[in-house]
Every structure is written in C-alpha cells, then in structure tokens.
Amino acid sequence: MTMKRMMFLLPLVVFMVIGVYFAIGLTKDPRKLPSVLINQTIPEFSLAPIKGRDRGLSSEDLKGQVSLVNFWGSWCIACKIEHPFLMKIKEENLVPLHGVNWREVDPDDGPDWLKKYGDPYTLIGDDPKSKAAIAFGVYGAPETFIIDAAGIIRHRFAGPMNQKVWDESLWPIIQELRKQ
Amino acid sequence: MKRLVLALILCLAAVNAVAVNPDEVLDDPVLEARAREISKGLRCLVCQNQSIDESGASLAKDLRILVRERLVAGDSNEQVIDYVVSRYGDFVLLKPRFKSYTLALWLGPVLIVGLGLLAVIIFFRRRTSAAAAAPAPLSKAEKKRLKALMNGES
C-alpha cells in the first residue's frame, strides 16, 4: 500500500484507538475511587463515645498493633449486609475491629442498631458531623481501613467486606503487616 | 399555551437551585462569598457530577460546613482546597489543576486541533500546487514515439 493510501486509514486507526480506551473506561466503576491516604499516617482525630459506652475512639488508639477501622451507620443498607461478617471477625478474634459510627440522625440510632444485631466493635467513636469521615477521605459506607502498628493506613476497602475479599486480599495484607 | 409558558419559566427558575441551607450561611458576607466560590469548585463525592454547592447529599453538607469552618479559622481559599484534595485526591476538583501530570489533559485538545489545521493546510497547499504546476515536458524517447504515432507508424 502506498503512503497516501495509509494516510486515508489514519482517522480510522485513531478512532479505533480512542474506541478501545473508551471501552476500557466503560468497564470501570466511577464510584470506586482510589484512596490518596494509602501509606500515610492516620489523621489526628478524637471521637466521643456513642451512648452506652465509656470510651470513644481517637488516633492514639490505632497505634501499637494492626487494626481495622470500619465506617458504618444504621442508615446504611450495605452495612447491614456486611454486619454478619464483622461478627465473625470478632468471634474468631482475627484482628481488633474499631468502628466509627458515621452520621447518625439520632444519637440512639447507632446503639440501638448494635443492640438489635450484635456489637462487633472493640472501640467505637461517634462521628455525627463527618469529622473523622472527611479526614479519612470516606465517601460512602461501609468503608474499612487497615492500619498498621505504626498508625499508617495500608489499605482501604470500600463496600461490604465478605469472606471472598477477606481471604483473597484483606487477610493476607493483615498477616503481612503483622510480620513487620 | 399559558400553562406551558409558565411551566417552562418555572423549569428555568429551578436551574439556579442551591443546596446551601440557611443555617450553614456565615454571618460575614465576604467569607460566605468565598465559601460559595470554593464550594462550586469541589465535587460532591456522592453525586459525582454536582459540586458540593449544589448537592443535597449529607456528605456535601458536611463538606460545605468544613469549608466554612476553615475559612472562619483563617485559612486562605488555596489552603481550604488543598486540605480537601489531601483527603479525597485531585478527583474532588471539578476543574483539574494545571500540573505536569495534567499537561496532556489541558494541552491535548489544542495539540489535536493544531495537527488537524496543519493537515488541512498541507492538503490544500498540495492540491493548488499540483494544479498550478505545468505537466512535465516530454522526454526525448516520448517525443520520438509521439512523432511516430502521428505519422501512422506503430
């Protein structure tokens, strides 16, 4: 083929390249945002306890051992789906699981929810005004962070945890962090 | 007809709806104006194509309040935006910053239009020059052949 003929094909080639990019882009979920806080020290925060508890949750509580921080609310449907798995983490004593009770309309809502379904959390902080949520860059619930012993955020999982993601990604990360 | 016109007018009126609640508004009009300006440039993470100024989502409300709290505490507009970006990443900016890694984004369209213009110019130049140029004169062998053909020989 001559050079000139090739030039006529150029727009088609360009279109196909762009088309492939668009096709890949369409398969991605725009709601899944990467966290910019990975490998950064946890933000400073100090949250009051929820009703019925004496202790809240602060950034100091997250230092010293590998732990999970789970943002949840009684208004959140996906949190209810995730809940049985959180209970399993607690029952099998896999890793300390802390909760941030995010944006309850009524301060009784969170505690009531835990009474009804069971309380999987070691410590819980109350976050009615999204102070900790914004500091952690949370944009939906549930979101779970893996914090290492030095208080550095190592992983963020958005959405309800289940056995599959636990076995495939979260538990291996926790075990790896424990070796350090 | 009157009803239709009224409905259209009402539709247009709704475009300017904002989500800022009266209780969020700052007393200082200058700070409030700055807060509104910042809010218009920050993406609501829940309804992603709205700014936090327009969004009724609860997270957007809390972000609006955070913006105002930081302004009252004495932050500059840049500092407030930097803080939100440090939590949520560049995605939170509705208008991406002009940085080394966004060069392709900002300059790409200009570059492509430039290349297109260049291609068009080259195309027309070639066509006019091809039309203007006289055909090449016949070579000696061609002249000889032409003469022979004209004379009826083959």
Side-chain angles (χ1 to χ4, degrees):
Chain A
M1 220 184 268
T2 62
M3 190 66 190
K4 242 185 181 169
R5 284 259 173 94
M6 302 270 271
M7 287 299 280
F8 276 112
L9 281 178
L10 191 66
L12 183 68
V13 172
V14 170
F15 172 76
M16 273 162 56
V17 170
I18 294 173
V20 166
Y21 272 97
F22 283 174
I24 294 170
L26 281 173
T27 63
K28 287 186 172 175
D29 185 356
R31 298 204 159 263
K32 288 229 158 82
L33 306 174
S35 173
V36 287
L37 295 173
I38 302 303
N39 295 334
Q40 287 195 38
T41 309
I42 44 165
E44 287 293 320
F45 69 94
S46 181
L47 296 173
I50 60 168
K51 271 193 182 173
R53 285 205 178 215
D54 304 325
R55 250 182 101 182
L57 181 70
S58 74
S59 30
E60 283 310 304
D61 298 321
L62 301 177
K63 287 165 190 166
Q65 61 175 327
V66 179
S67 60
L68 299 186
V69 177
N70 179 253
F71 284 79
W72 121 94
S74 65
W75 44 268
C76 148
I77 311 287
C79 299
K80 209 183 144 194
I81 296 167
E82 183 185 47
H83 185 265
F85 190 74
L86 300 185
M87 292 306 283
K88 194 190 160 184
I89 294 176
K90 186 206 166 146
E91 274 150 25
E92 295 183 11
N93 215 359
L94 299 172
V95 63
L97 172 66
H98 304 301
V100 174
N101 190 196
W102 184 28
R103 236 185 176 283
E104 294 296 354
V105 180
D106 187 310
D108 285 327
D109 288 350
D112 286 350
W113 195 85
L114 293 176
K115 244 176 249 160
K116 194 170 165 194
Y117 298 110
D119 184 348
Y121 300 112
T122 310
L123 292 173
I124 303 179
D126 192 15
D127 192 16
K129 302 273 179 221
S130 304
K131 293 273 179 254
I134 292 173
F136 273 84
V138 168
Y139 62 92
E143 268 188 42
T144 308
F145 293 82
I146 302 179
I147 319 284
D148 75 4
I152 296 169
I153 297 170
R154 293 302 184 184
H155 192 73
R156 192 273 309 262
F157 181 76
M161 290 190 283
N162 54 41
Q163 193 67 51
K164 188 163 180 279
V165 286
W166 183 262
D167 291 340
E168 284 172 6
S169 85
L170 304 178
W171 186 237
I173 293 169
I174 292 167
Q175 282 178 316
E176 190 57 38
L177 290 173
R178 278 181 173 160
K179 279 184 213 152
Q180 290 171 7
Chain B
M1 188 61 195
K2 251 187 186 174
R3 274 187 163 185
L4 189 73
V5 171
L6 189 67
L8 281 173
I9 289 171
L10 285 175
C11 282
L12 289 173
V15 170
N16 286 324
V18 286
V20 187
N21 291 8
D23 60 318
E24 296 170 20
V25 175
L26 295 174
D27 293 331
D28 184 341
V30 180
L31 280 187
E32 177 62 23
R34 280 172 59 197
R36 294 294 302 276
E37 192 194 319
I38 295 171
S39 303
K40 278 177 188 149
L42 293 176
R43 185 191 300 276
C44 168
L45 281 306
V46 183
C47 9
Q48 296 183 351
N49 283 334
Q50 281 189 310
S51 72
I52 59 168
D53 195 55
E54 305 159 322
S55 173
S58 45
L59 181 59
K61 180 188 168 81
D62 289 344
L63 277 165
R64 282 197 300 271
I65 293 172
L66 173 108
V67 165
R68 284 167 173 77
E69 279 173 357
R70 292 214 149 226
L71 285 179
V72 169
D75 274 14
S76 70
N77 291 16
E78 251 332 275
Q79 281 172 317
V80 175
I81 293 168
D82 281 346
Y83 175 75
V84 180
V85 169
S86 77
R87 302 293 110 190
Y88 289 100
D90 283 329
F91 182 70
V92 81
L93 297 171
L94 282 169
K95 187 177 170 184
R97 287 175 167 166
F98 194 80
K99 288 257 178 75
S100 57
Y101 52 87
T102 54
L103 272 183
L105 185 69
W106 281 101
L107 299 182
V110 182
L111 197 75
I112 288 172
V113 169
L115 282 176
L117 276 177
L118 201 71
V120 170
I121 289 170
I122 290 174
F123 176 76
F124 279 107
R125 276 249 176 105
R126 275 209 189 143
R127 216 166 64 161
T128 45
S129 64
L138 296 177
S139 67
K140 256 187 183 171
E142 281 168 339
K143 276 183 186 161
K144 207 174 167 188
R145 181 134 190 267
L146 179 66
K147 209 174 173 188
L149 283 170
M150 295 299 274
N151 292 341
E153 298 162 18
S154 56

